[in-house]
Amino acid sequence: MSTVQGVLDRVTRVPGVRGALLVSAGDGLIVAEQLMDGVDGRAAAALTGSLVGRLTRTAQQAGLERPAFVHLRAEAGSVLAAPGPDDLVLVAVVAPDANVGLARLEMIDAAARLS
Amino acid sequence: MSLVNFTAREITCKIVYYGPGRSGKTTNLQYVYGRVPEERRGRMVSLATQTDRTLFFDFLPLELGTISGFTTKFQLYTVPGQSYYNATRKLVLQGADGVVFVADSQARRFDDNLESLQNLQDNLLAQGVDIRQLPVVFQYNKQDLPHDLILSHEEMDDALNFRAVQSFAADALRGGGVFETLRGISEIVLKRLAAGSQVA
Amino acid sequence: MSEDIRVLTARLADEPSSLAFLELAEALRRRGQLDAACKVARGGVSRYPGLADAHDLLARVLSDQGDLAGAFDAWSSALQLDPMRAGALKGIGFLYFRAGDVVAALDHLQRAAQADPDDASIPVAIARLRGEVRENGGRHEAPAPSPAPPAATPFEGIEGGEEGFLLVDGGGLRLGGMLRAPSGEDLGDRVAAQLAGVSREAARATRILGLGPWHSIAVESPNGQLILAAPTADTVLLTARDHGIPLARLGLLAERAARAARSWLERVG
Amino acid sequence: MRALEPWVVEPLEVFLAESSARLTLLMTSSGQVVAQHGFSRSLDVMTAAALGAGIVASTEEIARLMGVTRFAGLVHHGERQSCMLSAFGTPRGRWIGLVVFGPETSVGIVQLFFEQMVAQLVSSAPREQAPPPTLAENFESELDASLKALFGRT
């Protein structure tokens, strides 16, 4: 199994994670994905790639370094993102009851190991 | 297919100059381009090979003026004449509202003219278009060459113009017949457009 | 009661129409007896409503009492009577500075310097304000046509006060709060310009992904953390802190700030 | 923005707002302009449409020769601007979209909202064709005058 698939496996194993993808943030395109039915990977890649890009610019304006983790919390679930090397972002779409703490640790660790 | 915009009262027609290689199709467009005021024409696009032969197509957008209250625009295309470019010829022919068949009047190009005309019929048929249903005019170019080298207007008509559609003698390099040809095809195309699907 | 106050009080009692109230109120103010000073100053203003000194004095007392709106009115009255009154110009400049309107503050202080070239404290204050304008790139709201008394800020009483919070409207303009770089520079306007777009994108992402409306965005960076929330449909609130506070607690702080911002928006809007 | 028919306007406006595209051109597969946003000269629009339709037609022809199904779309990545070409079916025949976009957006975003626009166009397209224009009795003389004016003849 490739490193990337291994990374996605570890993230999707966390309870409540409905899908994980590796996204090229600048293009908003999927590099690799592991999704449950009903999760629109292309939309997740495009929208999260764009949002992470904008948040990175906002953080920089606020005097912060490139974000290591982003958690977008919504009524019916969350989107988690861990920027890795070379414009890659590890993205997870999770249910409202997901173990976000565990997913966060796995994702930060996995994103670092992508380099 | 021509497009008619009723809200902006605008008509746009696609006219394709067809014919064998080196018969003068690009020369027709170049002459038009040179004569028309800048604000009435767009950029002339030529996708040509290094030896100046048309590779894909030449394209010239023209704004004709107002006809019956419609701003009328023409898109003039040429196709590559060389026989091995048939695939691109077919693509350019798609959706044409009218065809100007530019024939080379030189006697030695007689067979090339016939072959190209046959090719036009085949390519139209492949798109489900009967050449008899499409506005077509003939232009017999290079009529300025010495008489012993060329066929006369009548001889050309006999050889190519079986349906006795409009035909024009031309010397495209110096502009002779270019205007008349464009005028001829424009009239038929617009008449046909106004009549719906009927041939004018 | 100290000797001088006793003497002044006696003089005023002997001759109620004298200007002794000016000295008496000032002496009481200096001693911190603000209520008594206020009473004397108000008496003087009602006896001599055309005396700029009386209004100026009352304004100083009210300002010390924390009644900034009252002080603003009193200094405005003094300026109506004497437009080049240095003390009143200084006072109003100070109030504008407290309200965050550095441009109007500078304007009043410059007029004060013209009125009283010998007051050394004025050029010092002007130099300080000019530094502030440079750091903020000169972006300041124009002074209101009829200056209102400074309004309360959205984050009063919340841990950190104004700093580290930024409340932004749908057009990316700052409504309140302040965001400082380590150098002390206020980054608020630049960050504010980005935030309206972030909010729109977050709403679009959660809508298209079928997650419903968004609640918050947490951003962790190696040297700090941000939480974004939407106190109302067309505002965004940013809460920024370093890693000294755990992220979950920062979330709670952001929620409190959002509630405060919401009620502040209801009050002012 | 200009559109040939009013029902095209809303889907196109939504696309422009969501995608942040700089230029957008909708055309028929033979290169006739249906709607455009961002071009300043209508004659340049016609040129862009002719070239775009040519690219799509030849790419589809290559796909056919290679025995593969149609390509979903073409993206040219430029340093400052990129360009996407994509063909789609509508009740009015096959159309092509040409979108030019900059680094303020991404190809993923452009594709995502382009697909939404296509779905909206397909569902809102009126089934009946527009009637042919009525030309005046003397339109030939108008045509003649127009062409003569165009060629600088008297």
Side-chain angles (χ1 to χ4, degrees), chain B residues 146-178:
Chain B
H147 287 298
D148 48 349
L149 292 181
I150 59 168
L151 301 180
S152 69
H153 191 156
E154 293 70 30
E155 287 168 323
M156 292 295 283
D157 261 344
D158 288 345
L160 301 170
N161 192 358
F162 316 120
R163 284 170 48 227
V165 298
Q166 281 191 59
S167 63
F168 304 89
D171 162 18
L173 214 50
R174 275 170 286 273
V178 171

PDB file of all heavy atoms in Angstrom, chain B residues 146-178:
ATOM      1  N   PRO B 146      -3.174  34.199 -68.184  1.00  0.00           N
ATOM      2  CA  PRO B 146      -3.303  34.094 -69.639  1.00  0.00           C
ATOM      3  C   PRO B 146      -4.366  33.074 -70.038  1.00  0.00           C
ATOM      4  O   PRO B 146      -4.502  32.021 -69.411  1.00  0.00           O
ATOM      5  CB  PRO B 146      -1.911  33.619 -70.079  1.00  0.00           C
ATOM      6  CG  PRO B 146      -0.999  34.078 -69.000  1.00  0.00           C
ATOM      7  CD  PRO B 146      -1.796  34.078 -67.734  1.00  0.00           C
ATOM      8  N   HIS B 147      -5.129  33.420 -71.078  1.00  0.00           N
ATOM      9  CA  HIS B 147      -6.286  32.616 -71.462  1.00  0.00           C
ATOM     10  C   HIS B 147      -5.954  31.180 -71.813  1.00  0.00           C
ATOM     11  O   HIS B 147      -6.761  30.280 -71.580  1.00  0.00           O
ATOM     12  CB  HIS B 147      -7.019  33.282 -72.647  1.00  0.00           C
ATOM     13  CG  HIS B 147      -7.766  34.503 -72.211  1.00  0.00           C
ATOM     14  ND1 HIS B 147      -8.785  34.460 -71.297  1.00  0.00           N
ATOM     15  CD2 HIS B 147      -7.606  35.812 -72.530  1.00  0.00           C
ATOM     16  CE1 HIS B 147      -9.229  35.683 -71.070  1.00  0.00           C
ATOM     17  NE2 HIS B 147      -8.525  36.527 -71.817  1.00  0.00           N
ATOM     18  N   ASP B 148      -4.741  30.965 -72.348  1.00  0.00           N
ATOM     19  CA  ASP B 148      -4.421  29.583 -72.743  1.00  0.00           C
ATOM     20  C   ASP B 148      -4.138  28.691 -71.540  1.00  0.00           C
ATOM     21  O   ASP B 148      -4.011  27.484 -71.667  1.00  0.00           O
ATOM     22  CB  ASP B 148      -3.263  29.567 -73.743  1.00  0.00           C
ATOM     23  CG  ASP B 148      -2.107  30.425 -73.275  1.00  0.00           C
ATOM     24  OD1 ASP B 148      -2.299  31.190 -72.284  1.00  0.00           O
ATOM     25  OD2 ASP B 148      -1.019  30.331 -73.869  1.00  0.00           O
ATOM     26  N   LEU B 149      -4.016  29.309 -70.353  1.00  0.00           N
ATOM     27  CA  LEU B 149      -3.748  28.504 -69.160  1.00  0.00           C
ATOM     28  C   LEU B 149      -5.027  28.169 -68.393  1.00  0.00           C
ATOM     29  O   LEU B 149      -5.050  27.252 -67.573  1.00  0.00           O
ATOM     30  CB  LEU B 149      -2.808  29.257 -68.201  1.00  0.00           C
ATOM     31  CG  LEU B 149      -1.369  29.490 -68.657  1.00  0.00           C
ATOM     32  CD1 LEU B 149      -0.592  30.231 -67.566  1.00  0.00           C
ATOM     33  CD2 LEU B 149      -0.683  28.155 -68.973  1.00  0.00           C
ATOM     34  N   ILE B 150      -6.070  28.943 -68.619  1.00  0.00           N
ATOM     35  CA  ILE B 150      -7.250  28.808 -67.756  1.00  0.00           C
ATOM     36  C   ILE B 150      -8.498  28.402 -68.538  1.00  0.00           C
ATOM     37  O   ILE B 150      -8.530  28.493 -69.769  1.00  0.00           O
ATOM     38  CB  ILE B 150      -7.561  30.147 -67.022  1.00  0.00           C
ATOM     39  CG1 ILE B 150      -7.814  31.262 -68.044  1.00  0.00           C
ATOM     40  CG2 ILE B 150      -6.460  30.504 -66.055  1.00  0.00           C
ATOM     41  CD1 ILE B 150      -8.395  32.515 -67.419  1.00  0.00           C
ATOM     42  N   LEU B 151      -9.501  27.952 -67.797  1.00  0.00           N
ATOM     43  CA  LEU B 151     -10.808  27.701 -68.386  1.00  0.00           C
ATOM     44  C   LEU B 151     -11.645  28.962 -68.175  1.00  0.00           C
ATOM     45  O   LEU B 151     -11.489  29.657 -67.167  1.00  0.00           O
ATOM     46  CB  LEU B 151     -11.494  26.511 -67.695  1.00  0.00           C
ATOM     47  CG  LEU B 151     -10.755  25.178 -67.744  1.00  0.00           C
ATOM     48  CD1 LEU B 151     -11.552  24.103 -67.009  1.00  0.00           C
ATOM     49  CD2 LEU B 151     -10.502  24.748 -69.193  1.00  0.00           C
ATOM     50  N   SER B 152     -12.520  29.229 -69.120  1.00  0.00           N
ATOM     51  CA  SER B 152     -13.347  30.430 -69.024  1.00  0.00           C
ATOM     52  C   SER B 152     -14.435  30.238 -67.957  1.00  0.00           C
ATOM     53  O   SER B 152     -14.646  29.115 -67.472  1.00  0.00           O
ATOM     54  CB  SER B 152     -14.006  30.718 -70.363  1.00  0.00           C
ATOM     55  OG  SER B 152     -14.970  29.706 -70.607  1.00  0.00           O
ATOM     56  N   HIS B 153     -15.114  31.342 -67.618  1.00  0.00           N
ATOM     57  CA  HIS B 153     -16.218  31.293 -66.664  1.00  0.00           C
ATOM     58  C   HIS B 153     -17.235  30.213 -67.072  1.00  0.00           C
ATOM     59  O   HIS B 153     -17.658  29.392 -66.253  1.00  0.00           O
ATOM     60  CB  HIS B 153     -16.887  32.681 -66.620  1.00  0.00           C
ATOM     61  CG  HIS B 153     -17.874  32.866 -65.502  1.00  0.00           C
ATOM     62  ND1 HIS B 153     -18.194  34.086 -64.996  1.00  0.00           N
ATOM     63  CD2 HIS B 153     -18.619  31.967 -64.810  1.00  0.00           C
ATOM     64  CE1 HIS B 153     -19.091  33.958 -64.033  1.00  0.00           C
ATOM     65  NE2 HIS B 153     -19.373  32.671 -63.908  1.00  0.00           N
ATOM     66  N   GLU B 154     -17.581  30.182 -68.364  1.00  0.00           N
ATOM     67  CA  GLU B 154     -18.576  29.232 -68.857  1.00  0.00           C
ATOM     68  C   GLU B 154     -18.072  27.791 -68.752  1.00  0.00           C
ATOM     69  O   GLU B 154     -18.800  26.896 -68.336  1.00  0.00           O
ATOM     70  CB  GLU B 154     -18.962  29.535 -70.322  1.00  0.00           C
ATOM     71  CG  GLU B 154     -19.701  30.843 -70.526  1.00  0.00           C
ATOM     72  CD  GLU B 154     -18.813  32.068 -70.310  1.00  0.00           C
ATOM     73  OE1 GLU B 154     -17.583  31.983 -70.568  1.00  0.00           O
ATOM     74  OE2 GLU B 154     -19.343  33.109 -69.851  1.00  0.00           O
ATOM     75  N   GLU B 155     -16.809  27.613 -69.122  1.00  0.00           N
ATOM     76  CA  GLU B 155     -16.232  26.259 -69.047  1.00  0.00           C
ATOM     77  C   GLU B 155     -16.215  25.764 -67.596  1.00  0.00           C
ATOM     78  O   GLU B 155     -16.485  24.593 -67.322  1.00  0.00           O
ATOM     79  CB  GLU B 155     -14.823  26.262 -69.623  1.00  0.00           C
ATOM     80  CG  GLU B 155     -14.794  26.377 -71.136  1.00  0.00           C
ATOM     81  CD  GLU B 155     -13.403  26.674 -71.685  1.00  0.00           C
ATOM     82  OE1 GLU B 155     -12.648  27.446 -71.048  1.00  0.00           O
ATOM     83  OE2 GLU B 155     -13.079  26.131 -72.761  1.00  0.00           O
ATOM     84  N   MET B 156     -15.901  26.673 -66.686  1.00  0.00           N
ATOM     85  CA  MET B 156     -15.869  26.305 -65.261  1.00  0.00           C
ATOM     86  C   MET B 156     -17.281  25.943 -64.787  1.00  0.00           C
ATOM     87  O   MET B 156     -17.465  24.958 -64.062  1.00  0.00           O
ATOM     88  CB  MET B 156     -15.325  27.452 -64.398  1.00  0.00           C
ATOM     89  CG  MET B 156     -13.856  27.767 -64.593  1.00  0.00           C
ATOM     90  SD  MET B 156     -12.760  26.434 -64.095  1.00  0.00           S
ATOM     91  CE  MET B 156     -12.764  26.596 -62.332  1.00  0.00           C
ATOM     92  N   ASP B 157     -18.253  26.759 -65.192  1.00  0.00           N
ATOM     93  CA  ASP B 157     -19.641  26.472 -64.824  1.00  0.00           C
ATOM     94  C   ASP B 157     -20.040  25.073 -65.319  1.00  0.00           C
ATOM     95  O   ASP B 157     -20.656  24.293 -64.583  1.00  0.00           O
ATOM     96  CB  ASP B 157     -20.580  27.515 -65.461  1.00  0.00           C
ATOM     97  CG  ASP B 157     -20.968  28.615 -64.466  1.00  0.00           C
ATOM     98  OD1 ASP B 157     -20.763  28.398 -63.249  1.00  0.00           O
ATOM     99  OD2 ASP B 157     -21.472  29.666 -64.903  1.00  0.00           O
ATOM    100  N   ASP B 158     -19.653  24.791 -66.569  1.00  0.00           N
ATOM    101  CA  ASP B 158     -20.012  23.488 -67.146  1.00  0.00           C
ATOM    102  C   ASP B 158     -19.389  22.341 -66.351  1.00  0.00           C
ATOM    103  O   ASP B 158     -20.001  21.296 -66.145  1.00  0.00           O
ATOM    104  CB  ASP B 158     -19.528  23.404 -68.601  1.00  0.00           C
ATOM    105  CG  ASP B 158     -20.372  24.285 -69.511  1.00  0.00           C
ATOM    106  OD1 ASP B 158     -21.463  24.706 -69.055  1.00  0.00           O
ATOM    107  OD2 ASP B 158     -19.933  24.578 -70.640  1.00  0.00           O
ATOM    108  N   ALA B 159     -18.166  22.595 -65.884  1.00  0.00           N
ATOM    109  CA  ALA B 159     -17.449  21.514 -65.210  1.00  0.00           C
ATOM    110  C   ALA B 159     -17.926  21.300 -63.778  1.00  0.00           C
ATOM    111  O   ALA B 159     -17.932  20.161 -63.284  1.00  0.00           O
ATOM    112  CB  ALA B 159     -15.958  21.820 -65.217  1.00  0.00           C
ATOM    113  N   LEU B 160     -18.284  22.388 -63.079  1.00  0.00           N
ATOM    114  CA  LEU B 160     -18.529  22.277 -61.632  1.00  0.00           C
ATOM    115  C   LEU B 160     -19.956  22.615 -61.204  1.00  0.00           C
ATOM    116  O   LEU B 160     -20.470  22.043 -60.238  1.00  0.00           O
ATOM    117  CB  LEU B 160     -17.568  23.212 -60.863  1.00  0.00           C
ATOM    118  CG  LEU B 160     -16.072  22.988 -61.039  1.00  0.00           C
ATOM    119  CD1 LEU B 160     -15.292  24.144 -60.418  1.00  0.00           C
ATOM    120  CD2 LEU B 160     -15.644  21.677 -60.382  1.00  0.00           C
ATOM    121  N   ASN B 161     -20.572  23.555 -61.879  1.00  0.00           N
ATOM    122  CA  ASN B 161     -21.797  24.163 -61.371  1.00  0.00           C
ATOM    123  C   ASN B 161     -23.027  23.464 -61.935  1.00  0.00           C
ATOM    124  O   ASN B 161     -23.782  24.035 -62.709  1.00  0.00           O
ATOM    125  CB  ASN B 161     -21.794  25.658 -61.724  1.00  0.00           C
ATOM    126  CG  ASN B 161     -22.876  26.427 -60.982  1.00  0.00           C
ATOM    127  OD1 ASN B 161     -23.661  25.845 -60.218  1.00  0.00           O
ATOM    128  ND2 ASN B 161     -22.939  27.727 -61.222  1.00  0.00           N
ATOM    129  N   PHE B 162     -23.218  22.212 -61.501  1.00  0.00           N
ATOM    130  CA  PHE B 162     -24.311  21.405 -62.065  1.00  0.00           C
ATOM    131  C   PHE B 162     -25.674  21.978 -61.725  1.00  0.00           C
ATOM    132  O   PHE B 162     -26.636  21.803 -62.453  1.00  0.00           O
ATOM    133  CB  PHE B 162     -24.232  19.963 -61.546  1.00  0.00           C
ATOM    134  CG  PHE B 162     -22.849  19.405 -61.568  1.00  0.00           C
ATOM    135  CD1 PHE B 162     -22.223  18.976 -60.413  1.00  0.00           C
ATOM    136  CD2 PHE B 162     -22.158  19.309 -62.779  1.00  0.00           C
ATOM    137  CE1 PHE B 162     -20.941  18.464 -60.436  1.00  0.00           C
ATOM    138  CE2 PHE B 162     -20.871  18.798 -62.806  1.00  0.00           C
ATOM    139  CZ  PHE B 162     -20.261  18.371 -61.631  1.00  0.00           C
ATOM    140  N   ARG B 163     -25.772  22.619 -60.578  1.00  0.00           N
ATOM    141  CA  ARG B 163     -27.083  23.097 -60.128  1.00  0.00           C
ATOM    142  C   ARG B 163     -27.346  24.530 -60.570  1.00  0.00           C
ATOM    143  O   ARG B 163     -28.353  25.117 -60.181  1.00  0.00           O
ATOM    144  CB  ARG B 163     -27.175  23.008 -58.610  1.00  0.00           C
ATOM    145  CG  ARG B 163     -27.390  21.579 -58.107  1.00  0.00           C
ATOM    146  CD  ARG B 163     -27.222  21.509 -56.604  1.00  0.00           C
ATOM    147  NE  ARG B 163     -27.974  22.562 -55.930  1.00  0.00           N
ATOM    148  CZ  ARG B 163     -27.477  23.337 -54.976  1.00  0.00           C
ATOM    149  NH1 ARG B 163     -26.240  23.181 -54.568  1.00  0.00           N
ATOM    150  NH2 ARG B 163     -28.226  24.261 -54.423  1.00  0.00           N
ATOM    151  N   ALA B 164     -26.408  25.055 -61.331  1.00  0.00           N
ATOM    152  CA  ALA B 164     -26.563  26.420 -61.859  1.00  0.00           C
ATOM    153  C   ALA B 164     -26.843  27.441 -60.747  1.00  0.00           C
ATOM    154  O   ALA B 164     -27.776  28.238 -60.835  1.00  0.00           O
ATOM    155  CB  ALA B 164     -27.663  26.475 -62.924  1.00  0.00           C
ATOM    156  N   VAL B 165     -26.043  27.358 -59.667  1.00  0.00           N
ATOM    157  CA  VAL B 165     -26.140  28.393 -58.633  1.00  0.00           C
ATOM    158  C   VAL B 165     -25.316  29.599 -59.082  1.00  0.00           C
ATOM    159  O   VAL B 165     -24.666  29.554 -60.143  1.00  0.00           O
ATOM    160  CB  VAL B 165     -25.638  27.867 -57.257  1.00  0.00           C
ATOM    161  CG1 VAL B 165     -26.491  26.708 -56.789  1.00  0.00           C
ATOM    162  CG2 VAL B 165     -24.173  27.480 -57.321  1.00  0.00           C
ATOM    163  N   GLN B 166     -25.331  30.649 -58.289  1.00  0.00           N
ATOM    164  CA  GLN B 166     -24.582  31.849 -58.696  1.00  0.00           C
ATOM    165  C   GLN B 166     -23.091  31.531 -58.777  1.00  0.00           C
ATOM    166  O   GLN B 166     -22.559  30.785 -57.950  1.00  0.00           O
ATOM    167  CB  GLN B 166     -24.769  32.941 -57.644  1.00  0.00           C
ATOM    168  CG  GLN B 166     -26.079  33.677 -57.748  1.00  0.00           C
ATOM    169  CD  GLN B 166     -26.054  34.905 -56.835  1.00  0.00           C
ATOM    170  OE1 GLN B 166     -25.201  35.780 -56.998  1.00  0.00           O
ATOM    171  NE2 GLN B 166     -26.987  34.950 -55.910  1.00  0.00           N
ATOM    172  N   SER B 167     -22.418  32.136 -59.763  1.00  0.00           N
ATOM    173  CA  SER B 167     -20.974  31.953 -59.859  1.00  0.00           C
ATOM    174  C   SER B 167     -20.329  33.270 -60.269  1.00  0.00           C
ATOM    175  O   SER B 167     -20.962  34.107 -60.913  1.00  0.00           O
ATOM    176  CB  SER B 167     -20.645  30.849 -60.855  1.00  0.00           C
ATOM    177  OG  SER B 167     -21.095  31.214 -62.141  1.00  0.00           O
ATOM    178  N   PHE B 168     -19.073  33.451 -59.854  1.00  0.00           N
ATOM    179  CA  PHE B 168     -18.388  34.731 -60.055  1.00  0.00           C
ATOM    180  C   PHE B 168     -16.976  34.491 -60.561  1.00  0.00           C
ATOM    181  O   PHE B 168     -16.265  33.632 -60.030  1.00  0.00           O
ATOM    182  CB  PHE B 168     -18.312  35.507 -58.733  1.00  0.00           C
ATOM    183  CG  PHE B 168     -19.654  35.727 -58.096  1.00  0.00           C
ATOM    184  CD1 PHE B 168     -20.185  34.798 -57.204  1.00  0.00           C
ATOM    185  CD2 PHE B 168     -20.399  36.861 -58.409  1.00  0.00           C
ATOM    186  CE1 PHE B 168     -21.425  34.991 -56.627  1.00  0.00           C
ATOM    187  CE2 PHE B 168     -21.648  37.059 -57.829  1.00  0.00           C
ATOM    188  CZ  PHE B 168     -22.171  36.119 -56.934  1.00  0.00           C
ATOM    189  N   ALA B 169     -16.584  35.254 -61.576  1.00  0.00           N
ATOM    190  CA  ALA B 169     -15.190  35.238 -62.006  1.00  0.00           C
ATOM    191  C   ALA B 169     -14.414  36.143 -61.064  1.00  0.00           C
ATOM    192  O   ALA B 169     -14.932  37.175 -60.630  1.00  0.00           O
ATOM    193  CB  ALA B 169     -15.091  35.770 -63.430  1.00  0.00           C
ATOM    194  N   ALA B 170     -13.186  35.731 -60.722  1.00  0.00           N
ATOM    195  CA  ALA B 170     -12.453  36.525 -59.743  1.00  0.00           C
ATOM    196  C   ALA B 170     -10.961  36.563 -60.008  1.00  0.00           C
ATOM    197  O   ALA B 170     -10.396  35.687 -60.665  1.00  0.00           O
ATOM    198  CB  ALA B 170     -12.700  35.965 -58.338  1.00  0.00           C
ATOM    199  N   ASP B 171     -10.366  37.633 -59.471  1.00  0.00           N
ATOM    200  CA  ASP B 171      -8.905  37.775 -59.407  1.00  0.00           C
ATOM    201  C   ASP B 171      -8.652  38.245 -57.975  1.00  0.00           C
ATOM    202  O   ASP B 171      -8.525  39.444 -57.708  1.00  0.00           O
ATOM    203  CB  ASP B 171      -8.477  38.811 -60.457  1.00  0.00           C
ATOM    204  CG  ASP B 171      -7.078  39.356 -60.199  1.00  0.00           C
ATOM    205  OD1 ASP B 171      -6.312  38.708 -59.447  1.00  0.00           O
ATOM    206  OD2 ASP B 171      -6.764  40.437 -60.731  1.00  0.00           O
ATOM    207  N   ALA B 172      -8.683  37.273 -57.072  1.00  0.00           N
ATOM    208  CA  ALA B 172      -8.725  37.607 -55.639  1.00  0.00           C
ATOM    209  C   ALA B 172      -7.516  38.413 -55.190  1.00  0.00           C
ATOM    210  O   ALA B 172      -7.610  39.248 -54.300  1.00  0.00           O
ATOM    211  CB  ALA B 172      -8.852  36.336 -54.802  1.00  0.00           C
ATOM    212  N   LEU B 173      -6.361  38.162 -55.816  1.00  0.00           N
ATOM    213  CA  LEU B 173      -5.145  38.857 -55.427  1.00  0.00           C
ATOM    214  C   LEU B 173      -5.314  40.374 -55.544  1.00  0.00           C
ATOM    215  O   LEU B 173      -4.871  41.132 -54.690  1.00  0.00           O
ATOM    216  CB  LEU B 173      -3.992  38.391 -56.328  1.00  0.00           C
ATOM    217  CG  LEU B 173      -2.613  38.304 -55.701  1.00  0.00           C
ATOM    218  CD1 LEU B 173      -2.624  37.534 -54.393  1.00  0.00           C
ATOM    219  CD2 LEU B 173      -1.648  37.647 -56.704  1.00  0.00           C
ATOM    220  N   ARG B 174      -5.985  40.794 -56.622  1.00  0.00           N
ATOM    221  CA  ARG B 174      -6.226  42.228 -56.814  1.00  0.00           C
ATOM    222  C   ARG B 174      -7.648  42.611 -56.395  1.00  0.00           C
ATOM    223  O   ARG B 174      -8.071  43.748 -56.591  1.00  0.00           O
ATOM    224  CB  ARG B 174      -5.981  42.600 -58.269  1.00  0.00           C
ATOM    225  CG  ARG B 174      -4.505  42.904 -58.552  1.00  0.00           C
ATOM    226  CD  ARG B 174      -4.210  43.030 -60.022  1.00  0.00           C
ATOM    227  NE  ARG B 174      -4.208  41.727 -60.670  1.00  0.00           N
ATOM    228  CZ  ARG B 174      -3.128  40.940 -60.737  1.00  0.00           C
ATOM    229  NH1 ARG B 174      -1.986  41.333 -60.224  1.00  0.00           N
ATOM    230  NH2 ARG B 174      -3.201  39.770 -61.312  1.00  0.00           N
ATOM    231  N   GLY B 175      -8.384  41.662 -55.854  1.00  0.00           N
ATOM    232  CA  GLY B 175      -9.703  41.976 -55.310  1.00  0.00           C
ATOM    233  C   GLY B 175     -10.856  41.798 -56.276  1.00  0.00           C
ATOM    234  O   GLY B 175     -12.017  41.945 -55.885  1.00  0.00           O
ATOM    235  N   GLY B 176     -10.540  41.479 -57.546  1.00  0.00           N
ATOM    236  CA  GLY B 176     -11.614  41.330 -58.518  1.00  0.00           C
ATOM    237  C   GLY B 176     -12.574  40.209 -58.127  1.00  0.00           C
ATOM    238  O   GLY B 176     -12.145  39.081 -57.849  1.00  0.00           O
ATOM    239  N   GLY B 177     -13.856  40.500 -58.048  1.00  0.00           N
ATOM    240  CA  GLY B 177     -14.865  39.481 -57.778  1.00  0.00           C
ATOM    241  C   GLY B 177     -15.041  39.095 -56.312  1.00  0.00           C
ATOM    242  O   GLY B 177     -15.990  38.396 -55.959  1.00  0.00           O
ATOM    243  N   VAL B 178     -14.126  39.575 -55.457  1.00  0.00           N
ATOM    244  CA  VAL B 178     -14.195  39.194 -54.030  1.00  0.00           C
ATOM    245  C   VAL B 178     -15.466  39.746 -53.391  1.00  0.00           C
ATOM    246  O   VAL B 178     -16.224  39.027 -52.719  1.00  0.00           O
ATOM    247  CB  VAL B 178     -12.943  39.692 -53.271  1.00  0.00           C
ATOM    248  CG1 VAL B 178     -13.105  39.512 -51.766  1.00  0.00           C
ATOM    249  CG2 VAL B 178     -11.703  38.967 -53.764  1.00  0.00           C
TER     250      VAL B 178
END
